[in-house]
Amino acid sequence: MTTPDRRPTVIGLGELLWDVFPDGRRPGGAPANFAFQTEQLGCHGVLATRVGADVDGDELLQALREKSLDLSIVQRDPERKTGWVSVTLRDGHPEYVIHENVAWDAIEFTPALQSMMQQAAAVCFGTLAQRSGPSRTAIHAAVSATPAECLRVYDVNLRQSYYAEEWVSASLRLATIVKLNDEEVPVVARLLGIADEPLEFSRLLITRFDLQIVCITRGAKGCLVVTQTEHHDVPGKAIKVADTVGAGDAFTAGFVFAQLQEWPVGLSAEFANRVGAMVASRQGAMPELRREFAQLIEQY
């Protein structure tokens, strides 16, 4: 669960793609953003995904290799293209068109993936990469292969129409921690047939799915974090937003890092807010912030 230098192994499991903006393209996908931020925070960040055996895949992996991510279990698909998403920003907030039938729709549960999952101190997986049956089966098998003490984080991360009650419920049953944003709460509540008042919603999720923690992010308004015995309503930090792409993934990375340090839940939430805000204050989902994160960790 830790590397020889004692860094915990943290895995981002799911989609990897090019975010194609009007002014160019950048590596993207919530699992990749999450894994990169945990690497910057001092963990051993691993990406479990699938890209095409094409030039776009080569260039995408090279871009992430330069960011020090462990890509040793990334699969290459000889038939499907590397994934891409068309992104437009409206007042700093991203809108996505996610293209279908790409490599990460065919993730396989390989021996290499199983072996890495068995070493995980934490794994984060979402809903989007479960839109195809093969990837959904592989993701569920991979999460199930983690050690009992692994933090299994389900970042709901709803995109377009790529979700269903069956997938969401199965993912909630696999998780120990769930993270979603305040816009996703009523959607998930409607899928599950439960109340959408955030605190009640969180407590119902914890009870029904035997969860440890529910995190609801609220952008500039901070977050609500609920456990089986307590809840923390943590205000946001005023910043000048460059764009919000990847800020939620950075929050998740910050929260996981803090929990692996065994910090109290309330302190973990405050720290995660700060990490998410720092990313939102910069362009893109993967800004270089290692020095700033190290300084922030020292403050805590």
Side-chain angles (χ1 to χ4, degrees):
M1 293 178 65
T2 59
T3 60
D5 59 5
R6 302 191 64 79
R7 292 184 298 154
T9 295
V10 179
I11 301 173
L13 171 64
E15 68 272 14
L16 174 63
L17 45 88
W18 283 111
D19 278 333
V20 182
F21 293 83
D23 61 348
R25 65 181 189 175
R26 304 169 193 156
N33 298 337
F34 167 81
F36 171 66
Q37 302 301 353
T38 62
E39 175 73 29
Q40 288 205 108
L41 286 162
C43 301
H44 171 218
V46 179
L47 184 56
T49 188
R50 189 175 180 94
V51 298
D54 51 20
V55 172
D56 283 345
D58 293 341
E59 293 179 351
L60 185 51
L61 294 183
Q62 182 56 35
L64 294 180
R65 201 170 286 117
E66 291 171 359
K67 293 180 178 295
S68 301
L69 275 177
D70 183 337
L71 306 176
S72 61
I73 58 170
V74 173
Q75 302 166 14
R76 305 299 298 267
D77 194 304
E79 299 176 0
R80 294 170 182 82
K81 294 180 179 180
T82 296
W84 81 104
V85 172
S86 303
V87 186
T88 55
L89 295 175
R90 297 186 185 278
D91 300 322
H93 296 280
E95 295 183 357
Y96 305 92
V97 177
I98 305 169
H99 303 285
E100 299 186 16
N101 300 316
V102 294
W104 55 262
D105 286 312
I107 296 170
E108 298 176 358
F109 184 53
T110 62
L113 176 55
Q114 180 177 10
S115 177
M116 186 65 80
M117 298 306 295
Q118 290 169 342
Q119 303 171 46
V123 59
C124 183
F125 66 105
T127 310
L128 176 59
Q130 298 184 51
R131 69 181 180 179
S132 75
S135 284
R136 186 161 64 249
T137 298
I139 288 168
H140 291 187
V143 176
S144 297
T146 57
E149 65 273 19
C150 177
L151 299 180
R152 299 186 298 277
V153 183
Y154 174 37
D155 180 0
V156 175
N157 201 29
L158 302 180
R159 292 286 182 265
Q160 294 177 202
S161 61
Y162 300 125
Y163 57 88
E165 184 277 329
E166 180 184 356
W167 317 346
V168 172
S169 292
S171 299
L172 288 166
R173 284 191 289 270
L174 284 170
T176 56
I177 299 173
V178 171
K179 176 259 178 185
L180 68 170
N181 65 41
D182 53 357
E183 294 180 352
E184 291 166 334
V185 168
V187 180
V188 174
R190 187 166 59 251
L191 284 177
L192 300 178
I194 62 175
D196 64 3
E197 190 282 319
L199 183 55
E200 183 180 2
F201 166 86
S202 300
R203 288 172 171 160
L204 289 168
L205 280 192
I206 288 169
T207 300
R208 181 183 292 191
F209 296 100
D210 194 27
L211 299 167
Q212 294 176 7
I213 303 171
V214 173
C215 301
I216 299 174
T217 57
R218 304 175 299 199
K221 297 179 181 178
C223 65
L224 174 68
V225 177
V226 184
T227 75
Q228 295 175 355
T229 58
E230 59 188 297
H231 71 274
H232 300 269
D233 194 328
V234 183
K237 184 174 177 61
I239 58 163
K240 182 178 180 181
V241 174
D243 69 55
T244 61
V245 180
D249 306 322
F251 173 95
T252 309
F255 192 83
V256 165
F257 170 82
Q259 285 292 283
L260 290 174
Q261 308 306 306
E262 300 183 347
W263 294 358
V265 169
L267 191 67
S268 297
E270 291 178 17
F271 179 79
N273 265 355
R274 296 284 298 277
V275 171
M278 290 171 74
V279 170
S281 70
R282 307 294 179 90
Q283 291 285 346
M286 299 187 189
E288 180 63 41
L289 291 168
R290 293 174 200 272
R291 184 179 62 183
E292 290 87 346
F293 283 170
Q295 293 170 345
L296 182 63
I297 291 167
E298 284 295 316
Q299 293 177 29
Y300 281 79

